[in-house]
Amino acid sequence: MSEAARKHGEEDSRILSEAECKQILERAHAMAQGGGDTAVHIKSWWQGELRWARNRASLSSDRRNIEVTVFRKTDYGTIGEVTTNQLDDAALEEAVRAAERASRMEIGPGGERKGFYPKIPAYTRPPSARIWSEATVGLDTEVRAEVARRMIAPAEAEGFYSAGYLEVRAAATASYTTAFRDLRTGEHGLDEQPYIQWTQAQCSTTVRDASGMGSGWAGLSSYDWDRIGSEIDVLAARAVQKCKASRNPVALEPGRYTVILEPQAVADLIESLVTRLGAPGHRGRESAENPLMEHPFQLGYDNATGLMLSKMGLKVVDERITISHDPMDPRLGLLMSHLERPGPVTWIENGVLKRLGHNFNTGIKALDGINGLHQLRGGTGYRMSGGDTSMEEMIRTTRRGLLVTRFSNIRTLDENSLLSTGLTRDGLWLIENGEITKAVKNFRFTESPIFMLNNVEQIGEAVPVFRPTKEEGGELTPAIVPPIKARDFSFTSLVDAV
Amino acid sequence: MRFMRTTKMMPAFLLAVAGAMLNARPVTGQELFEWPDTAVDISTYKTVEECSAAVGRVRSQIKVREYHATHIDRDTIPDDLGSAKSPLPSAVVETVRACLNAASAHVDTVGVDAWDLLAPLYLIIGMDDSARAVVERRLAEVELDNTEDLKRAVTDVLLLYGKNSPVPPKIEVGDEIILAFLDKIPDFRNRFAVYMQLIVTGSDDPAMYDEMAARARRHLARFMAEYDEAAGRELEDMSNESGRVGATSEELLAQLEAMFTLVFGKDQFHDSLRVSTAAYAKAMRKTWGRASDVPPEAYMDGQPLGERAPVLEGDIWLGCEGDPCEQYPRAGRVSLVWFYTPHLREIYDNIRITNCSDYTYLLRRLSNRFPELDIVVVAQTVGRYHYVKEGMTPEREAQLIRKCLDSVGLDRAVLTMTESPGWRLPEPDGRWVDQPTANWTNYSFDGRWSGKFRNTDNALLIDQDGYIVHVGRGTIGGGGGLERNFAELIEILLEREKAKT
């Protein structure tokens, strides 16, 4: 860690502090005119990145941004929102004025708080592991350059070309509102997201040989750079080794093969399944129990109750599979709001679908015994159960199969079965009689993660995989996933992708 | 909606400097001020849809300004059915004029799909001939042998010039257009369908009742003249309002006359009610049956008009008289029994659930107007009140609803709460499956009336002898017409009782 990093305290000046975020609301509300309530949603983030290609750095940047969305709800009940990234009084006041003008564009329901409203219970944020790393925020430009050098050197020594991307990020979000303040009994209102900050780091590299036909990839992500930094040489070496091994690939006939999916490939393939476990407003229980929607965990309409049933309680995948998350798990690092269902959640237990994510209102109807009202976020971050079979053992016990590094460009074809298509990338090898015999040209697969998880033969040790956030300042989505050997995996055509 | 998103980035130190320099104005507390005019630049609008949207925005802005000036929440007061007669604010007229000048919308060139947007705009700026031309273009597209398309088009035109007119209604113009259109329809049964719409589609304004009745009478007379020509003829492939095949022209006439009576003959129904509820119910059922061509027993999907109202049951009673509570509905009292349903309503933050329905305002007005009226709110537990779930019991839920009723001025209403029977799906599903309460079962009258009590507001007016006089379904707060209906009937029932004594 550089000297600059050691100087960074708990409150990094590159992102807004909790006090600063609260002050923004008070300032905005003081500027409000015409009555009503004011709310702000604040996101501030810093990102340091370095990109390299053909063994040379091509981009290095430090970026930061602040996004403040001001909501003005007037007495007429309409709401306007405007986003700004400048916090001086003039800019903030202009945003407030613009939000008020926008609120008048709408035709609102008319009035608010008609009748009696009871006091809001004092919801407290469930405990979660701290997901802030000084090592991550301290990774300044010089250190990043050294990391890139260490990643490039082994490839260059072999006469290969290394390309890669390194990113470190710190972010904070908060939402505050003046609405219903007189009804609060706790620190936060129902409409608020308490201040939360986190860090995120990722590093990945692709190594190609001079012919462009050999390719190896390795990558890792975590909130804590130290967990990646200690693996840099390993990642670089793995990418080089895979590049060497994937040269001169041969074309195989498409068909059904036994596959050994490395953890990254497993994570890539089951992404669609994990997101269907649901998140508030996204394809969770509300979709599975909606007769007008298609969902892989929808069971069918029950005439006796008049309800659409989901597959909760039913076995959906191999009994060796358990998918869960625990906010206190230091390796997962999830962000929890005060309206989240507290505690660990097991989504799939021994192959049985136990829970689906749901939003606030569904939580009320379900009345699942948890006090208070809450939402249950889906598998944003998750840990998948592992086994004790090593990769070497999987290979040794395979008469004929394929070893897959990872998948890319995956698209879901059918919502009910999650039948998907995508490509193998960066290393595909044929296994014959317990040995890796040759590199294979990449395939397009057409397969469902649900089918694959029902054809499991062996499972290895679960390890963290590369699963970075998908947007600037976005939420963490860590995953810990094992390698899996599965039978009858469908490859439908050869592709030229390397 | 305008967004003030900028991608301009300012280094931290510049932010601090700029903040200090620009922070010249002291920050003050909230203050009322005059809303600035934020009318959009109409000259940039090019389509009929944009013009229509601009009109909507200008009208809503006028409403917002009115609200800020008067602080009167129009959701809680009855609809002013006579407001349609007032001329439009000049801002609206000028917006339309400017927009139509800028847009290239022309009566002959705009797509017929946009007729329902363009015609009102022409009416707003007084281009009645252009509006008529657009309407006639729409009617020219109607498939004359498609009864449903015909009815829809005719109804839309009559509403445009009547109840839904953006300017003071000119129902006679709508009638003129439809009567001219009628000449193109050779089929007797389709002509009947048009006459039916002419009779039932008019104005809800109570001040225009006599005028609408006279109008309907004229249309009926026209139809009768046509009927005379077709008298006795068996019309082939006949499918009338109820889908029945083989109706004769006499039956169609009887149906039309009954519909006229149903819409405009409330005086005779009220006269029946002054005699007895049984007479009223018999007259209503018979006329409705004729108008809808279904048996009188099937009145309004089995609504229990004239039936004896069962005694209400409940686990918890709040606000009643007597200890224990007397039986409700009480003998000798006019009662309004409201089956209350908590509404899941997504307000801007998506987590508000309102147990305290907007529809209570209608009941409050009736309660204030008729102190002798008993109002009984029939509720059942749902396990939470708004966002309060922890430690919820039926008693607590009842008390919270009681507070809700008191807060909107329904402190004289009696609340009866029943613990919801039902069962829960096994874990991990855990959803609650309702079973009917005793009140649901009793008020379904052996299954003849579905009620849909869980998800639909129902209000029943019950006379002093315990017979059901009227049922208001769905959003009982919707429309001044429903409140007016209840009020007229309550008045008659109270007068009837006075006359007895």
Side-chain angles (χ1 to χ4, degrees), chain A residues 209-276:
Chain A
D209 70 350
S211 71
M213 295 305 293
S215 181
W217 176 90
L220 208 55
S221 59
S222 172
Y223 78 92
D224 183 3
W225 172 256
D226 279 345
R227 293 184 184 161
I228 302 174
S230 59
E231 300 285 322
I232 287 300
D233 298 320
V234 172
L235 292 177
R238 183 183 305 154
V240 170
Q241 184 262 332
K242 281 179 179 271
C243 177
K244 276 186 194 170
S246 64
R247 287 179 294 184
N248 305 314
V250 298
L252 279 189
E253 196 66 30
R256 289 193 174 272
Y257 287 84
T258 294
V259 290
I260 297 174
L261 303 177
E262 291 194 355
Q264 191 61 49
V266 174
D268 293 337
L269 182 63
I270 71 169
E271 180 73 18
S272 60
L273 181 149
V274 166
T275 55
R276 267 67 170 180

Side-chain angles (χ1 to χ4, degrees), chain B residues 303-336:
Chain B
Q303 275 191 19
L305 179 65
E307 303 261 9
R308 194 168 194 95
V311 171
L312 289 166
E313 300 190 26
D315 299 321
I316 300 163
W317 290 82
L318 297 175
C320 62
E321 291 197 11
D323 183 18
C325 293
E326 294 182 54
Q327 281 190 340
Y328 282 84
R330 294 196 284 181
R333 305 277 292 189
V334 179
S335 305
L336 194 58

Side-chain angles (χ1 to χ4, degrees), chain A residues 257-261 451-453 455-458 484-489:
Chain A
Y257 287 84
T258 294
V259 290
I260 297 174
L261 303 177
F451 298 167
M452 185 277 286
L453 289 176
N455 287 337
V456 173
E457 294 196 344
Q458 291 169 313
I484 289 179
K485 180 166 148 186
R487 60 185 174 274
D488 294 334
F489 196 93

Side-chain angles (χ1 to χ4, degrees), chain A residues 29-30 64 79 82-83 85 89 93 104 109 114-116 118 123 190-191 285 308 354 360 364 366 372-373, chain B residues 4 6 8-9 12 23 25 28 30 35 75 348-349 351 353 384-385 387 389 407 424 428-431:
Chain A
H29 191 58
R64 63 189 180 107
I79 298 167
V82 166
T83 302
N85 75 340
D89 275 355
E93 183 163 8
R104 295 176 51 232
K114 290 180 202 163
F116 166 69
Y123 297 104
L190 292 178
D191 309 325
R285 198 166 167 170
M308 174 63 80
K354 302 296 274 186
F360 206 73
I364 296 163
L373 299 179
Chain B
M4 241 192 69
T6 171
K8 188 174 154 192
M9 300 297 302
N23 192 15
R25 259 192 54 184
T28 60
Q30 292 191 57
W35 291 104
D75 278 4
Y348 72 101
D349 53 9
I351 55 172
I353 311 118
R384 80 303 185 258
Y385 182 85
Y387 32 74
K389 191 175 88 172
S407 71
R424 191 173 290 289
D429 191 308
R431 280 177 292 175

Side-chain angles (χ1 to χ4, degrees), chain B residues 438-490:
Chain B
N439 289 323
W440 287 16
T441 304
N442 295 338
Y443 275 80
S444 72
F445 296 92
D446 299 321
R448 278 176 281 127
W449 185 40
S450 68
K452 295 193 177 98
F453 294 96
R454 190 43 140 172
N455 298 314
T456 308
D457 282 304
N458 287 289
L460 290 84
L461 180 65
I462 300 164
D463 72 8
Q464 297 89 333
D465 299 316
Y467 291 100
I468 296 170
V469 177
H470 189 65
V471 177
R473 292 246 6 231
T475 55
I476 66 170
L482 193 58
E483 184 174 338
R484 192 178 66 248
N485 285 345
F486 272 121
E488 285 172 347
L489 297 173
I490 293 169

